[in-house]
Amino acid sequence: MGKFKTSSNWQFFIKNSSGGLCKICQRQVNCKGNTTNLSNHLKRHHKSVLEKSEDTKDSELIDDPDASLSVST
């Protein structure tokens, strides 16, 4: 069996028993079973940091010569 994919949101949080502690503002964000609250917190309170992270991820995909895009028709 394969491994579960970990949400990229966790790079901004420290996991604890009730969810995660934001590394940026030290707020506790509750999450039970999914990371929607973590994502919403980042969108609402740290939009610029989230945008930088997405820009970096996009540039890594473009710079990776082994990355291929598949288009279904």
Side-chain angles (χ1 to χ4, degrees), residues 4-18:
F4 289 100
K5 184 175 179 182
T6 302
S7 171
S8 61
N9 291 325
W10 285 113
Q11 67 182 322
F12 300 105
F13 294 89
I14 299 169
K15 289 183 183 183
N16 58 34
S17 61
S18 61

Side-chain angles (χ1 to χ4, degrees), residues 7 9-10 18-20 29-40:
S7 171
N9 291 325
W10 285 113
S18 61
V29 180
N30 295 328
C31 67
K32 302 283 184 187
N34 62 54
T35 57
T36 301
N37 288 345
L38 302 180
S39 179
N40 288 340

